[in-house]
Amino acid sequence: MFKRPFLLLFLFFNLVSLQAQQKYTLSGTISEASSNETLIGVTIAFPSLQTGVTTNEYGFYSITLPEGNYEITISYLGYQDIKETINLNRDIKKDFNLSEKAEELEEVIVTDDAKQLDIKKPQMSVNTLAVQTIKQIPVVLGEADVIKSLLLLPGVTSAGEASSGFNVRGGAADQNLILLDEATIFNSSHLFGFFSVFNPDAIKDVKLFKGGIPARYGGRVSSVLEIFQKEGNSKDLKVNGGIGAVASRLLIEGPITKDRTAFLVGGRASYAHLFLPLFDVDNKAYFFDLNTKFNHKINDRNNIFLSGYFGRDLFSVNDSFVNTYGNAVGNFRWNHLFSDKLFSNLSLIYSDYFYGLELDFVGFEWDSGIQNFNLKYDLKHYINDKFQVNYGLNNIYYVFNPGKIKPNSPDSGIVEEQLTKKYANETAAYVDVEQKISEKLSVNYGLRVSLFNRLGQDELFVYENDQPVVFDPFQLVYREAVPLDTINPGRGQNLATFTNLEPRISMAYAMNDNNSIKASYTRLAQYLHLLSNTSSPTPLDVWTPSGPFVEPQLLNQYALGYFRNIKNGAYSLEIEGFYKDIENRIDYIDGADLIANNAIEQVILNGKARAYGLELLFRRNEGRLQGWLAYTLSRSEQRTPGRTPTFDNGRSNMETGINFGEWYSTPYDKTHDIALYGSFDLNKKWNFNANFVFQTGQPTNYPVGQFEFQELVVPFFGLRNQTRLPDYHRLDVSAVLKNSNRRNGNFQSEWVFSIYNLYNRRNAASINFRQNQDTGRNEAIRTSIFGIIPAITYNFKF
């Protein structure tokens, strides 16, 4: 009587075991065939399962699937596809080498499988640019530029020509986290904004996160720009460079031990200042930078990397005024593979920004800057093809030098003084999950926990009612409060502690293989503030930490988008709407003095900011003519209301705030932003490029009236940012002639002919007002930076 139930149970378990397929893992590294350079974001697709994976920042991939025979497709833009059949009957470690498209072959089409995977990924609000595209985009003076190329993407603008920094979705320049090989770059500009600090020859990947930012990133509330340098060619010695109108560059890479150890050294320098003495000009303005990288493969499970960057700018006037500034970063990284499913990266990072000034006619030297030391450990767990987990932690220690003045000669009369240095520590831990819930729905969700400690310092002012800014109810103006006392908290004390939970979630719903809807929510905290009362940051601006009187900035961003592949990926369309609000965005009282201010809290107020808009990006991805159209419709506003009413002799005094507490445009508000870029391959020798840019004029302040005081005419300005500069637009073109005169061995070269601002539009960088000495009437003076600028650059490699 017991035999039949046991027999049925036995058959049931055997049936289950037969149906439950054994799963195995396919993992490895994907590199470039000619150099062993690992490739980021390569797609490994399994068409029969409609699933796949992409390589991480170090070229590693891993995917776990049921046992079986599978056809896989390895695809990456600019490289020939690999199609192969894998018999997954055990755990397999398999590396792939991709070859660049040969000029003799017809263009390789990006496979439809890869495009379908992109559509289904929950990642949104992210833009990538190929290095080759960056080198083709026409820019001022013919120098390929990463930052200037980003300005052609939707949601990204600048404060004007020859201005430093960039603005993302209505955010300020200091709200962008800029990473070079994971190290923070605090100033991304050379020559006050003419060039960026990134040498395009040394770069292999550029990615900009505007929203839906993964939990592994934090510390800024607007965007993350992540740039990775090349690792160096471990097969052959290679040299490439270029000679331009104002600067030249050279990069050397090669093996130390073939297929195991490689190095990279690249440098750039400008030399336009060398010609100034010919015109009897003693002024100087030049820059130089150096990129280095070393990588060593210890074994199949361990790799180490050592990378660095050093750059300096110098500007001087007759040697009596000398300005020097620049970045220096270094990073040691250790990649370790615990198993074919668990990848880890340990990084030790140093970053330094220095600003120096020497005024010989006054007799002093000035320097300021910021340093940080970062220890971070990241792990990625490839559990299966539907579930991946990223987690890790990092700790950053900051040293802020707001300024030090010292005499540059014994008889200068200047007394050496060090403004109070500030110290802080930021700790964060995160977990981030990538999950495919169904064939149509995929999600990324995660949580970042950040802890910021403002450490003790030598001197700290104490104010009545803890208010370093006071309001004058009679003149309706804010003034600096007079400190009641000065205390000396030790370095071991905490002046303030902030803890924030930063949840993130993004999801994608695929309506079919070519259409999807994506949405995201991002919460971010920023503990650092750049003190600048200009629309474009200057090298003199200094960073300050949150602490007493200065709250951290907190962001909530929401985004919703529609994504479509057209004609099997030949065209693509991305439409995104976003809304973001920021708490504790600082602004400055009228007449604020930020330079050499030892009590910066006396001139700032905490307010709010918001930005919202619609972005459109339409791309043509294949054929001889490629390019994109980007359009952004947006608003960026700020509001600084009055604080809690104060009391004077028992009477309430309502503060006016800034602009009477009403919303006003930020200096980086651009209602309309249009960018059109196209690249056309005429034949194997000639390539033509063009881009057109139109932007609504940036907000500014014009006088709305005037009054006389002691026979002086004093202009009166109205509310902040009520007027705008004229609209900005220009057209740039370039032509690339590839030298194909049978190549001397492996030597290749090309000439790049470019014209910036083809129709010589005199765009206004600013408009100033003055009184005409002859007529006595007021007049407006437009200041323009660039007109039409032709340039020639010669590039080579061997």
Side-chain angles (χ1 to χ4, degrees):
M1 60 181 292
F2 294 103
K3 291 182 179 180
R4 182 168 293 179
F6 278 114
L7 179 61
L8 291 174
L9 191 62
F10 176 80
L11 292 174
F12 173 76
F13 278 113
N14 273 274
L15 181 63
V16 170
S17 63
L18 287 173
Q19 290 179 340
Q21 291 179 275
Q22 180 70 39
K23 291 188 175 183
Y24 296 104
T25 299
L26 174 67
S27 63
T29 301
I30 300 182
S31 308
E32 187 180 67
S34 63
S35 65
N36 276 343
E37 183 81 36
T38 58
L39 298 174
I40 302 173
V42 178
T43 300
I44 303 94
F46 293 77
S48 62
L49 300 178
Q50 290 193 323
T51 190
V53 70
T54 57
T55 55
N56 69 3
E57 293 82 1
Y58 300 92
F60 178 78
Y61 75 94
S62 176
I63 188 167
T64 301
L65 298 169
E67 180 180 1
N69 287 320
Y70 299 103
E71 181 183 277
I72 64 172
T73 301
I74 317 294
S75 58
Y76 190 60
L77 186 64
Y79 290 80
Q80 299 177 44
D81 291 355
I82 294 177
K83 291 191 176 183
E84 192 170 309
T85 299
I86 294 288
N87 182 16
L88 197 61
N89 57 6
R90 57 185 175 83
D91 290 339
I92 297 175
K93 185 181 185 302
K94 188 172 180 61
D95 299 334
F96 293 94
N97 291 318
L98 294 183
S99 299
E100 287 189 84
K101 292 186 298 186
E103 293 182 6
E104 293 77 11
L105 300 176
E106 293 188 6
E107 180 179 8
V108 177
I109 305 299
V110 179
T111 64
D112 192 32
D113 301 321
K115 290 295 182 183
Q116 290 175 9
L117 290 176
D118 288 340
I119 281 289
K120 295 178 180 180
K121 286 181 180 178
Q123 189 178 69
M124 65 181 301
S125 305
V126 177
N127 293 122
T128 58
L129 279 179
V131 175
Q132 187 57 38
T133 301
I134 293 172
K135 291 182 177 181
Q136 291 176 340
I137 292 175
V139 292
V140 65
L141 297 172
E143 291 298 313
D145 195 290
V146 172
I147 301 298
K148 297 296 188 293
S149 301
L150 292 174
L151 301 179
L152 298 179
L153 299 173
V156 187
T157 63
S158 74
E161 290 178 311
S163 61
S164 62
F166 58 98
N167 309 113
V168 176
R169 289 186 169 176
D174 69 307
Q175 294 174 335
N176 303 315
L177 177 62
I178 303 174
L179 300 174
L180 178 64
D181 278 350
E182 301 181 324
T184 303
I185 299 293
F186 287 97
N187 187 324
S188 61
S189 298
H190 279 312
L191 295 182
F192 308 101
F194 281 91
F195 308 101
S196 75
V197 299
F198 307 110
N199 182 348
D201 290 341
I203 291 171
K204 75 170 178 178
D205 188 74
V206 177
K207 184 178 295 183
L208 176 67
F209 296 86
K210 300 179 295 186
I213 298 174
R216 65 181 180 272
Y217 302 108
R220 301 293 187 276
V221 296
S222 192
S223 74
V224 176
L225 175 59
E226 186 178 50
I227 298 175
F228 283 95
Q229 295 186 115
K230 292 179 179 179
E231 295 166 3
N233 192 317
S234 64
K235 287 185 174 292
D236 300 295
L237 182 67
K238 296 291 183 181
V239 179
N240 65 284
I243 302 172
V246 296
S248 290
R249 61 191 190 280
L250 183 68
L251 183 137
I252 304 173
E253 56 181 324
I256 298 176
T257 302
K258 193 167 185 177
D259 295 327
R260 194 175 184 87
T261 309
F263 75 94
L264 177 148
V265 178
R268 292 188 303 170
S270 65
Y271 41 69
H273 66 286
L274 299 177
F275 302 101
L276 294 178
L278 300 177
F279 304 96
D280 197 26
V281 176
D282 292 335
N283 301 346
K284 296 178 182 178
Y286 65 89
F287 74 87
F288 66 90
D289 54 29
L290 178 69
N291 298 78
T292 61
K293 193 125 177 211
F294 166 88
N295 80 85
H296 175 64
K297 182 178 182 179
I298 300 174
N299 52 42
D300 289 340
R301 292 188 176 273
N302 294 278
N303 293 275
I304 57 172
F305 305 84
L306 182 62
S307 61
Y309 167 85
F310 181 84
R312 281 292 183 267
D313 282 70
L314 185 142
F315 174 73
S316 69
V317 179
N318 298 324
D319 291 328
S320 60
F321 172 92
V322 181
N323 179 202
T324 306
Y325 66 93
N327 299 276
V329 301
N331 185 4
F332 172 80
R333 282 170 291 165
W334 170 39
N335 290 170
H336 176 65
L337 196 61
F338 285 100
S339 69
D340 52 11
K341 292 185 179 182
L342 184 57
F343 179 92
S344 70
N345 178 66
L346 174 68
S347 297
L348 303 173
I349 306 167
Y350 170 77
S351 180
D352 173 82
Y353 174 69
F354 169 83
Y355 179 87
L357 186 65
E358 181 177 356
L359 298 177
D360 190 57
F361 61 93
V362 181
F364 74 83
E365 296 178 2
W366 169 272
D367 65 76
S368 62
I370 177 175
Q371 294 176 308
N372 74 33
F373 305 85
N374 186 2
L375 170 64
K376 63 192 295 286
Y377 193 45
D378 303 288
L379 299 102
K380 185 162 188 174
H381 200 164
Y382 300 83
I383 297 175
N384 55 48
D385 65 314
K386 294 181 173 62
F387 199 84
Q388 300 174 18
V389 181
N390 300 271
Y391 47 93
L393 51 85
N394 74 294
N395 187 84
I396 307 175
Y397 177 74
Y398 296 97
V399 179
F400 302 84
N401 176 17
K404 179 180 181 179
I405 187 173
K406 59 182 179 181
N408 65 352
S409 63
D411 55 351
S412 71
I414 298 295
V415 178
E416 183 172 329
E417 180 182 2
Q418 170 70 62
L419 299 184
T420 303
K421 287 187 175 182
K422 301 178 177 67
Y423 307 88
N425 195 82
E426 181 177 353
T427 304
Y430 74 90
V431 59
D432 198 20
V433 177
E434 305 171 34
Q435 184 176 4
K436 184 178 179 181
I437 296 177
S438 68
E439 288 300 317
K440 291 183 176 292
L441 182 62
S442 299
V443 295
N444 275 16
Y445 51 92
L447 176 66
R448 182 182 183 89
V449 181
S450 57
L451 172 66
F452 188 85
N453 293 313
R454 173 71 180 274
L455 305 177
Q457 58 192 52
D458 293 339
E459 292 183 345
L460 182 68
F461 292 137
V462 178
Y463 303 93
E464 184 178 3
N465 299 323
D466 284 335
Q467 291 200 351
V469 179
V470 295
F471 180 70
D472 186 337
F474 301 102
Q475 297 190 22
L476 301 180
V477 296
Y478 288 92
R479 301 188 187 279
E480 302 175 10
V482 177
L484 297 178
D485 193 10
T486 301
I487 61 175
N488 304 97
R491 290 276 297 279
Q493 294 187 28
N494 274 348
L495 301 181
T497 300
F498 305 96
T499 304
N500 283 286
L501 299 179
E502 306 173 37
R504 326 279 172 87
I505 184 170
S506 59
M507 60 186 68
Y509 179 79
M511 295 177 283
N512 52 46
D513 289 341
N514 291 306
N515 295 270
S516 69
I517 297 175
K518 301 184 182 183
S520 68
Y521 166 74
T522 306
R523 171 82 167 178
L524 286 160
Q526 177 172 335
Y527 300 102
L528 307 188
H529 309 262
L530 182 64
L531 302 174
S532 175
N533 55 7
T534 61
S535 59
S536 172
T538 69
L540 183 57
D541 300 333
V542 298
W543 292 82
T544 192
S546 297
F549 320 117
V550 183
E551 298 288 325
Q553 301 177 67
L554 302 174
L555 163 88
N556 293 292
Q557 181 173 190
Y558 312 84
L560 178 66
Y562 169 71
F563 300 78
R564 182 178 183 182
N565 284 330
I566 305 170
K567 292 188 177 180
N568 293 330
Y571 301 86
S572 60
L573 175 67
E574 301 175 14
I575 301 175
E576 287 193 44
F578 68 90
Y579 178 86
K580 62 183 189 180
D581 62 75
I582 300 173
E583 302 173 35
N584 305 321
R585 178 62 185 169
I586 63 174
D587 207 341
Y588 308 96
I589 66 175
D590 291 331
D593 185 7
L594 304 180
I595 300 176
N597 191 332
N598 208 23
I600 202 68
E601 67 272 8
Q602 296 178 345
V603 296
I604 61 177
L605 295 171
N606 286 323
K608 300 179 179 180
R610 68 184 182 189
Y612 49 92
L614 183 70
E615 299 173 355
L616 180 147
L617 180 62
F618 178 73
R619 288 180 181 265
R620 178 181 169 90
N621 303 309
E622 300 172 2
R624 295 168 66 189
L625 175 63
Q626 298 185 24
W628 65 80
L629 169 66
Y631 171 68
T632 307
L633 173 67
S634 65
R635 289 296 307 271
S636 175
E637 300 173 311
Q638 191 158 332
R639 179 173 177 260
T640 309
R643 300 168 298 184
T644 303
T646 59
F647 293 89
D648 183 16
N649 296 325
R651 183 182 63 177
S652 175
N653 297 318
M654 294 297 297
E655 295 187 6
T656 59
I658 296 176
N659 273 24
F660 298 101
E662 299 296 325
W663 290 99
Y664 55 95
S665 297
T666 64
Y668 20 90
D669 174 50
K670 305 286 182 69
T671 308
H672 301 282
D673 180 17
I674 302 173
L676 179 62
Y677 168 73
S679 177
F680 178 69
D681 288 322
L682 179 64
N683 50 43
K684 294 179 181 179
K685 293 184 62 175
W686 284 98
N687 167 264
F688 297 93
N689 301 271
N691 55 261
F692 172 77
V693 176
F694 174 90
Q695 293 178 356
T696 301
Q698 70 185 64
T700 188
N701 294 292
Y702 293 158
V704 297
Q706 64 183 37
F707 61 90
E708 290 191 12
F709 178 75
Q710 295 182 354
E711 298 183 354
L712 292 176
V713 177
V714 181
F716 171 72
F717 293 84
L719 300 179
R720 290 193 186 183
N721 296 339
Q722 279 194 315
T723 52
R724 292 181 180 270
L725 294 174
D727 292 340
Y728 178 99
H729 55 87
R730 71 172 200 275
L731 173 66
D732 312 324
V733 297
S734 71
V736 180
L737 173 61
K738 297 180 181 179
N739 189 350
S740 59
N741 53 359
R742 303 287 72 91
R743 296 182 196 160
N744 180 14
N746 292 322
F747 186 85
Q748 301 176 47
S749 64
E750 65 182 19
W751 290 92
V752 181
F753 309 93
S754 64
I755 302 178
Y756 179 88
N757 197 358
L758 181 64
Y759 52 81
N760 199 30
R761 164 76 175 178
R762 307 298 295 185
N763 288 297
S766 64
I767 293 182
N768 300 305
F769 296 85
R770 70 182 184 187
Q771 188 178 46
N772 189 292
Q773 298 297 321
D774 297 326
T775 64
R777 301 180 62 181
N778 292 333
E779 59 183 7
I781 305 298
R782 174 190 298 218
T783 301
S784 299
I785 303 297
F786 296 124
I788 183 172
I789 300 181
I792 300 177
T793 302
Y794 176 71
N795 297 321
F796 59 88
K797 62 181 179 179
F798 56 89

